[in-house]
Amino acid sequence: PPRGQQGANGNNDNWEKNDDVIRSSSNTSSSTNSSPSVNSLKGPFQNTPKGVVPSGRGPLGSYLDSVSSPRNPSGESQQPTTTSPTEEEDSLDSASTSRNVNMADKPASWSNTYLTKFLDTDNKDDARTDIRNLLTQRSIQSFMRLLEECRDPHSAKWIQQDFLQTGNLLDYHGTGAKFIQQFGGTWDLPLLSMMQQPPHQMIISAKRRGRGHGGWSLNNPYLQERWVEIPVDIDPSNLVTRILSVREQIAKEWDQDLDALMVANDMILDSFFEETKKKRSMGNGGSVSSGEGVFVRMAQNLINDNSRFSVQVSSPFRRSNFDLLYNLCTQAAIHRLLREKMKTGKASEEGGVGVGIAAVRGEDDASFVFLRDFYKGRAEEYFDGDLPFGRADDFLEDLLETSPYVISSGLLVDPVGTAEEIIQMRCLVAQEWKTFMQRVPDDHMVLRQALLSNQMNRSIQSSSDNESVDGFQ
């Protein structure tokens, strides 16, 4: 079933059979993983964070959260154990409707080793700031959300736990998920690896009759439990085909959203100077009061208008996707700007320079040192891990609020000028990324050919196996 939505009576009204207990087991595992009973999922999840989570799924947890990683009230993960039928029945019968269900831990993010390597790459974007990697990550997350809405949490569970081996991926709001780095930092390798996985099957056991179920007495020790087993087939190649469709839809949305990003980007400096002038006219010397920003944030308003008046239905996480796109574009602009400043300094040192050029190179080196130290000291706060909304604008606000100061070499650095360079570079990055988004269907042709070849090879292999069996008989 889809995520738990609280009905008018305070219970989950979306469950079709509140008396069923669902268990899942894999054909590749000898033990049975028991999930909490549906009765224990009634009512709000008390241990989930209140308010709307960054992924946009709402304040309540989902059925996938409880199936994937059930937790006991003490917060420790339950390890799968083999129990006798009597012990299992007693544990199921003693399940309380008020038992807390904690959501699984969020997956790890990209390691911060990229902070020491991104200056050495010759490409425009390193793997950490490659827009195609983020597109793959958000496509998988959006597809898992669609599986959850279509009442197929078992396929999402296979992607999340068996294949990617991550934590609660649906509630992860960040630009660098760890699994992208584990697949070599390339956008297509996770999908190629998924399509090469063999078909999988889960056995779903649902309790049909028993003590306290189906109108039977709870305290009658002579009643026997009755279960029905439902096989659920998982075809990784089919999942990849559907993920590619989601990826193309998100690419079309980002092609439009990047226009909104550039419009909002061009308004930042004008808004900053206007707000500063307004504050100075009010007599506070241009200082920022508590709760006030140094510029008007227009990006989220523009994307809301885009999604509201869009002809096609938006993807599940469109606003969240735009926030991460905005964040990654800012980080990519910083990386490109630092690499350009470093190359300019090296070129000036290798060629003979005069006095005037040496002065210009000294200014470039000063701004390079300032931006490098400023960015590295705040990368974990604004760009890494699970992030709240608006961290890209928070970074620029922090930079614009920094007072000019003199570095160790004795040169003056203007943070406002550095912010202006980032804004200009971010516009160039967005224009280039629009071209990448328009080429996504062409990039998928190679993957679709690999999918077709893989399916044909499996079909030939299965037919040959059948022929050999018939010949033996």
Side-chain angles (χ1 to χ4, degrees):
R3 59 174 175 149
Q5 295 180 350
Q6 193 173 3
N9 58 356
N11 294 328
N12 291 336
D13 294 338
N14 288 334
W15 302 108
E16 289 184 349
K17 297 181 179 180
N18 289 338
D19 293 333
D20 289 347
V21 178
I22 299 178
R23 302 177 300 174
S24 64
S25 62
S26 170
N27 60 350
T28 59
S29 175
S30 59
S31 61
T32 300
N33 298 331
S34 299
S35 65
S37 64
V38 177
N39 287 334
S40 65
L41 302 180
K42 293 181 181 179
F45 291 84
Q46 299 176 3
N47 291 341
T48 55
K50 297 181 179 179
V52 178
V53 294
S55 63
R57 293 203 295 159
L60 302 182
S62 68
Y63 180 61
L64 176 61
D65 298 327
S66 60
V67 169
S68 298
S69 181
R71 292 170 176 265
N72 55 32
S74 62
E76 300 178 355
S77 299
Q78 294 179 351
Q79 300 295 331
T81 57
T82 305
T83 59
S84 62
T86 305
E87 294 175 350
E88 185 178 7
E89 292 170 8
D90 294 339
S91 63
L92 291 173
D93 293 336
S94 62
S96 173
T97 58
S98 61
R99 186 180 67 177
N100 296 335
V101 178
N102 292 338
M103 296 168 64
D105 294 334
K106 294 182 180 179
S109 62
W110 202 293
S111 63
N112 58 2
T113 55
Y114 74 91
L115 292 175
T116 60
K117 299 179 180 179
F118 74 92
L119 292 174
D120 300 331
T121 181
D122 295 330
N123 300 326
K124 289 187 176 181
D125 289 328
D126 50 284
R128 176 62 178 82
T129 58
D130 194 337
I131 182 62
R132 296 169 297 180
N133 288 338
L134 179 63
L135 181 59
T136 298
Q137 173 192 328
R138 297 304 291 178
S139 300
I140 294 176
Q141 291 178 279
S142 300
F143 178 65
M144 291 174 60
R145 173 70 174 117
L146 293 172
L147 288 174
E148 192 180 28
E149 289 182 345
C150 295
R151 303 196 174 196
D152 184 15
H154 312 291
S155 296
K157 176 178 179 289
W158 180 86
I159 295 175
Q160 179 173 271
Q161 288 192 342
D162 298 342
F163 177 67
L164 297 179
Q165 299 180 355
T166 63
N168 191 356
L169 189 60
L170 271 177
D171 284 331
Y172 178 75
H173 184 76
T175 58
K178 183 71 172 179
F179 73 87
I180 296 291
Q181 184 183 16
Q182 292 173 345
F183 281 100
T186 55
W187 68 268
D188 55 347
L189 192 55
L191 302 177
L192 288 171
S193 300
M194 185 183 295
M195 73 175 66
Q196 294 172 0
Q197 298 298 315
H200 196 79
Q201 186 178 74
M202 290 183 179
I203 305 299
I204 310 301
S205 299
K207 183 183 289 187
R208 298 297 301 273
R209 290 291 186 271
R211 287 177 289 176
H213 293 273
W216 288 22
S217 173
L218 178 63
N219 301 319
N220 191 338
Y222 299 99
L223 296 178
Q224 300 297 323
E225 305 290 349
R226 296 183 183 178
W227 298 81
V228 57
E229 292 187 349
I230 306 172
V232 176
D233 295 325
I234 297 176
D235 184 6
S237 298
N238 180 265
L239 296 180
V240 173
T241 303
R242 296 154 68 185
I243 291 174
L244 291 179
S245 301
V246 175
R247 198 172 186 271
E248 291 181 4
Q249 179 186 0
I250 297 177
K252 291 180 181 179
E253 294 175 354
W254 283 3
D255 187 21
Q256 303 172 3
D257 297 344
L258 284 169
D259 293 329
L261 188 151
M262 288 186 286
V263 171
N265 185 68
D266 295 338
M267 299 171 63
I268 290 178
L269 285 180
D270 293 337
S271 175
F272 168 71
F273 291 125
E274 183 179 351
E275 292 293 323
T276 303
K277 183 179 179 181
K278 186 187 302 182
K279 292 180 178 66
R280 287 179 178 175
S281 63
M282 296 173 62
N284 57 359
S287 60
V288 180
S289 303
S290 178
E292 296 182 1
V294 298
F295 60 88
V296 179
R297 304 189 178 193
M298 295 297 299
Q300 200 60 241
N301 295 332
L302 293 175
I303 190 58
N304 287 341
D305 294 339
N306 274 5
S307 60
R308 186 176 296 113
F309 298 104
S310 177
V311 178
Q312 295 181 345
V313 178
S314 299
S315 58
F317 299 146
R318 182 165 187 179
R319 291 180 179 86
S320 299
N321 291 342
F322 176 77
D323 181 72
L324 296 179
L325 177 67
Y326 195 31
N327 185 279
L328 188 66
C329 189
T330 303
Q331 190 176 21
I334 296 171
H335 285 198
R336 291 192 186 187
L337 186 60
L338 286 173
R339 283 194 289 265
E340 283 190 2
K341 289 180 177 294
M342 187 179 66
K343 290 179 181 178
T344 302
K346 289 182 178 180
S348 300
E349 290 178 357
E350 293 175 357
V353 295
V355 178
I357 299 178
V360 173
R361 183 179 61 82
E363 293 178 0
D364 288 342
D365 289 345
S367 62
F368 168 77
V369 172
F370 163 74
L371 180 57
R372 181 195 62 191
D373 296 342
F374 186 89
Y375 165 67
K376 286 188 175 181
R378 294 164 176 80
E380 183 178 357
E381 178 183 0
Y382 293 112
F383 300 104
D384 292 342
D386 191 60
L387 301 171
F389 276 85
R391 298 310 276 170
D393 286 336
D394 292 342
F395 178 84
L396 282 181
E397 278 197 357
D398 193 2
L399 182 60
L400 291 171
E401 290 176 344
T402 304
S403 301
Y405 66 98
V406 179
I407 62 174
S408 59
S409 60
L411 295 173
L412 181 67
V413 176
D414 180 19
V416 177
T418 303
E420 183 177 2
E421 291 178 333
I422 294 175
I423 291 172
Q424 293 174 353
M425 180 62 70
R426 189 163 62 179
C427 185
L428 297 177
V429 173
Q431 291 175 353
E432 182 177 322
W433 282 1
K434 279 182 61 67
T435 305
F436 285 169
M437 295 301 99
Q438 294 169 0
R439 293 207 311 254
V440 165
D442 297 334
D443 296 338
H444 287 176
M445 292 298 297
V446 178
L447 288 176
R448 296 188 185 279
Q449 291 176 358
L451 274 171
L452 181 60
S453 300
N454 187 34
Q455 292 173 350
M456 291 184 64
N457 291 335
R458 288 184 179 177
S459 177
I460 294 174
Q461 183 178 1
S462 62
S463 62
S464 61
D465 293 341
N466 293 334
E467 290 178 358
S468 61
V469 172
D470 294 340
F472 176 76
Q473 290 177 351

